[in-house]
Amino acid sequence: MMRSHFLRPLPLALAALLACSPGAFADDERDHDRGGDHHGARPPSHGHGKPIDWAGTAYRKGVVAVANPYGAEAGARMLERGGNAVDAAVAIAYALNVVEPQSAGIGGGGFMMVHLAKSGRTFAIDTREKAPAAATPDMFVGVTRPDLNGVAVGVPGMVRGTALALRRWGHLPLHKVIEPAIDLADTGFAATPRYTAVSCNNGGRSTNSPEAAAFFCPGGVPAPVGQVVQNKPLAETLRLIARHGPDCFYKFMPEKGCDIAQGIVEGQKFNRPQVAGGKGGSMTLADLEAYQPALREPTVGTYRGYTIKAMSPPSSGGLTMLQILKMLERFPIGDAAAGYGFGSLKTANVMAEAMRIAFADRSQWMGDADFVPVPGKGLLDATYLGARGAVIVPGTRITPNPVAGDPRPYDVAGTKPATRLAVAEPVTGPGETTTHFSVVDKWGNMVTYTNTIESSHGIGVFAGYTRPDGSFRNHGFLLNNELTDFNTTPSVNPYTGGPGFNDVQPAKRPRSSMTPAMIFTPDGRPLVAYGSPGGSTIINSVLNVTLNLIDHKMTLQDAIKAPRISVTSAGSAISLEAGIPQATIDGLLALGYTVATTEIGSVQAVVLDPKTGLQFGAADARREGTVIGLPR
Ligand code: GLU
């Protein structure tokens, strides 16, 4: 599926590939000359809150910020053809399946948060994968490396979720929006540095099945950077979806040529026979046919006068991030004169403590609210959080480790008497997978969308099946291993003895950390749409950027570039990115923390200035972040 000649004229985004250096979108005079509007260093303040300073090149006709140049190009094209932010977002999601197949695609799911300019409504389309009907809480017990086995495959959600988004809020038909992805799969794209770097190197997943190994890592060698990569089987799958609609993915309809569902069901039977303890999945055609996306209200809170909306359950992202923010609000985070300010010991110390407390709550109280009574109101209740955060004392590290509180008395909606609690915390990696992108269109609609197949390359198995003649019918897209986001060992609630909120149940969605989020002015106008990949560190990446904007007054690009700090459970080390001052690290060690240096997240953000209507974008150099603003 790969061709060895290099850089023939590509159908998309050679220009975007060249533009993918992060310096290309900050203060870019070239775009200014062509219709972009340079906005100067200090934008006006918004409402009565403290101003956020985004600076950079301003646009009026739409901006996309994507972790891959080809994905960005696909989105920009939709906006140029009259599409809105929803059309662009769906085009990006499909294109990324081709060019960033390790991160996300039609074999997985995610959360697409939308703000509609006209109605002022903000909501999320939950395309998160579901457990099959025959799934059981103990289905992972005794399985070696669940991430490599079919038992981890959830019923994929992207195709129906994005089709719903287009039907209800898009301007363009599905077949137009999928076009860039079909083009990329059919005629190819030049392997990007990141594609090459991860193709043979990701915990054995890209080589888990013979078909994936042959595609990503033939002979143990990845496609070199710049080599044209084609995926004809995926092009054919996408054409089927474009022609027949989402049902062609979810229903086995051989009379129409729709055999994708069979490929998913057969693919997830993969049990890695070469390893003892392998286990295939139980998904059936009926599970696929039954899948439906959900529309959800985001979780809402405030921070220093700004309103923040972020993904609600089954994600833990919105609740956990807002808990941390509320616990931090009493500290003068932005005030260097008071010993705080960016990167200081005091700031890192209180951030780490608030994270430890919130993640203790997360492990007990968050899961799929369609199945368990998540006490969302209690978790964000001011009195509850006041008490939880009162134990944060700058200059100290809480010992023993914080444990979950009991927010139920503060939960206005109340909970059922037999409340079930989670204990176990699935371990997620630093973020080689998953992808986040953000879009604003010329009408002021905004989308912030995190999409995933969980681990990099999912389970490393393409949807597909063996035909009667023995040949392999390959559908060209990877199956997720999202169900590893459940507790992989059934857990016991220390209070009631009942099962955990995030234990496996049939048709339940595993708890996520994905945190697509938006910041609104104090008077309710949308300002920033942003998010990140990175497993449970997602919550903290989004939090870091929020503090950088609101407290540290960084520009949007600097807020994304600045080194991050993350703790994802009450007892774990502080992860720090290179660039945090050594004095701060020494101070943290002296307080009793353990620290580890690592890379955290990949944030893509767009801004809409409510006063001027000007639009900005920024993307993350940690991956291949690309911003395209219009007109270009
Ligand atoms: N599956 C993870 C979640 O939903 C995201 C994976 C990642 O970002 O690495 O929280």
Side-chain angles (χ1 to χ4, degrees):
M1 287 183 219
M2 288 176 196
R3 294 199 317 214
S4 56
H5 60 270
F6 178 33
L7 292 188
R8 68 192 171 76
L10 289 168
L12 280 178
L14 194 54
L17 186 64
L18 297 171
C20 88
S21 116
F25 38 75
D27 294 296
D28 190 336
E29 290 301 328
R30 192 191 42 173
D31 287 316
H32 173 50
D33 294 343
R34 286 198 245 145
D37 229 337
H38 195 271
H39 189 32
R42 283 274 146 195
S45 77
H46 308 285
H48 42 83
K50 296 176 184 172
I52 290 177
D53 177 1
W54 35 81
T57 304
Y59 302 93
R60 289 187 180 277
K61 300 286 186 190
V63 179
V64 298
V66 187
N68 174 287
Y70 292 97
E73 180 63 32
R77 277 198 183 184
M78 289 305 118
L79 295 179
E80 286 171 326
R81 287 180 192 171
N84 65 11
V86 171
D87 299 306
V90 177
I92 293 166
Y94 273 99
L96 290 177
N97 190 165
V98 182
V99 297
E100 211 188 356
Q102 70 276 9
S103 297
I106 59 177
F111 302 121
M112 175 182 187
M113 192 184 294
V114 180
H115 177 81
L116 297 175
K118 209 167 163 187
S119 63
R121 221 181 124 209
T122 312
F123 56 91
I125 301 164
D126 172 356
T127 71
R128 182 81 166 162
E129 302 90 331
K130 288 182 154 200
T136 58
D138 61 355
M139 68 185 189
F140 291 113
V141 175
V143 180
T144 313
R145 294 281 307 264
D147 64 319
L148 293 173
N149 281 277
V151 67
V153 181
V155 184
M158 183 187 131
V159 173
R160 274 208 176 125
T162 50
L164 169 73
L166 282 185
R167 201 168 61 241
R168 295 272 299 267
W169 299 286
H171 290 174
L172 301 175
L174 181 64
H175 67 90
K176 280 259 175 278
V177 171
I178 299 184
E179 230 169 60
I182 295 175
D183 238 26
L184 285 165
D186 203 25
T187 53
F189 66 96
T192 63
R194 191 176 142 68
Y195 179 90
T196 298
V198 299
S199 280
C200 291
N201 179 20
N202 67 353
R205 285 178 300 271
S206 64
T207 52
N208 194 31
S209 63
E211 295 79 16
F215 184 77
F216 292 108
C217 192
V221 182
V225 174
Q227 179 169 290
V228 174
V229 179
Q230 295 172 288
N231 187 338
K232 296 279 186 191
L234 181 56
E236 195 183 332
T237 296
L238 297 175
R239 277 197 195 95
L240 281 171
I241 296 169
R243 192 173 312 132
H244 300 291
D247 277 355
C248 189
F249 182 90
Y250 288 96
K251 293 182 182 175
F252 180 54
M253 300 186 294
E255 67 286 358
K256 290 185 176 174
C258 296
D259 62 349
I260 306 167
Q262 187 182 350
I264 297 169
V265 168
E266 289 304 313
Q268 60 88 53
K269 288 179 183 163
F270 185 81
N271 70 352
R272 203 168 189 248
Q274 63 271 40
V275 166
K279 191 174 183 180
S282 61
M283 196 191 302
T284 63
L285 289 174
D287 287 317
L288 274 164
E289 211 168 322
Y291 183 90
Q292 288 299 335
L295 291 184
R296 304 207 186 270
E297 296 288 342
T299 297
V300 183
T302 61
Y303 183 65
R304 303 201 199 279
Y306 290 94
T307 294
I308 303 202
K309 302 187 182 183
M311 192 61 212
S312 50
S315 180
S316 58
L319 285 170
T320 309
M321 180 174 71
L322 283 162
Q323 280 197 306
I324 299 169
L325 286 171
K326 291 314 274 187
M327 285 188 277
L328 290 177
E329 209 170 23
R330 72 184 168 94
F331 299 105
I333 299 289
D335 188 351
Y340 289 86
F342 181 81
S344 74
L345 173 60
K346 266 190 176 176
T347 299
N349 181 194
V350 296
M351 284 172 73
E353 293 305 285
M355 289 172 184
R356 293 173 71 208
I357 295 168
F359 272 85
D361 273 1
R362 172 183 176 275
S363 67
Q364 297 264 327
W365 297 107
M366 299 181 204
D368 183 350
D370 289 349
F371 285 75
V372 292
V374 178
K377 289 195 171 72
L379 286 164
L380 295 181
D381 179 82
T383 309
Y384 174 71
L385 282 177
R388 294 285 287 155
V391 296
I392 303 175
V393 179
T396 62
R397 177 183 184 275
I398 299 168
T399 36
N401 293 331
V403 295
D406 187 352
R408 289 172 298 177
Y410 305 89
D411 200 61
V412 177
T415 51
K416 290 176 190 130
T419 304
R420 294 171 296 181
L421 306 174
V423 175
E425 178 74 14
V427 177
T428 31
E432 61 201 11
T433 179
T434 309
T435 194
H436 182 87
F437 53 92
S438 301
V439 184
V440 57
D441 67 24
K442 65 181 173 189
W443 298 280
N445 303 302
M446 294 173 104
V447 172
T448 170
Y449 190 163
T450 315
N451 209 20
T452 188
I453 51 173
E454 166 51 10
S455 305
S456 145
H457 297 93
I459 59 163
V461 174
F462 286 119
Y465 59 90
T466 306
R467 299 185 185 93
D469 67 4
S471 63
F472 186 68
R473 163 72 161 136
N474 184 3
H475 288 109
F477 64 92
L478 290 168
L479 295 172
N480 70 81
N481 55 8
E482 211 71 55
L483 302 188
T484 58
D485 276 356
F486 279 119
N487 300 332
T488 46
T489 308
S491 60
V492 176
N493 161 15
Y495 295 103
T496 68
F501 270 24
N502 190 36
D503 281 7
V504 181
Q505 289 178 246
K508 188 178 178 182
R509 291 175 160 101
R511 178 181 62 214
S512 173
S513 300
M514 292 187 289
T515 315
M518 293 188 188
I519 303 176
F520 292 74
T521 58
D523 61 355
R525 291 178 294 174
L527 268 179
V528 186
Y530 60 138
S532 178
S536 47
T537 68
I538 290 172
I539 297 165
N540 295 330
S541 287
V542 178
L543 173 94
N544 275 262
V545 172
T546 307
L547 300 182
N548 292 347
L549 289 170
I550 295 177
D551 290 297
H552 302 306
K553 303 281 179 289
M554 292 183 193
T555 65
L556 191 65
Q557 188 62 59
D558 286 348
I560 287 174
K561 191 175 167 199
R564 297 179 187 134
I565 296 173
S566 168
V567 186
T568 57
S569 77
S572 60
I574 303 182
S575 298
L576 300 169
E577 286 194 311
I580 296 292
Q582 189 58 44
T584 296
I585 297 173
D586 293 342
L588 290 169
L589 292 170
L591 292 177
Y593 294 99
T594 39
V595 302
T597 305
T598 183
E599 191 178 279
I600 304 168
S602 165
V603 175
Q604 273 60 237
V606 294
V607 156
L608 175 61
D609 182 330
K611 289 204 165 147
T612 61
L614 295 175
Q615 304 163 343
F616 304 83
D620 209 321
R622 290 168 182 81
R623 292 194 186 172
E624 293 166 343
T626 305
V627 172
I628 301 178
L630 301 176
R632 52 182 162 179

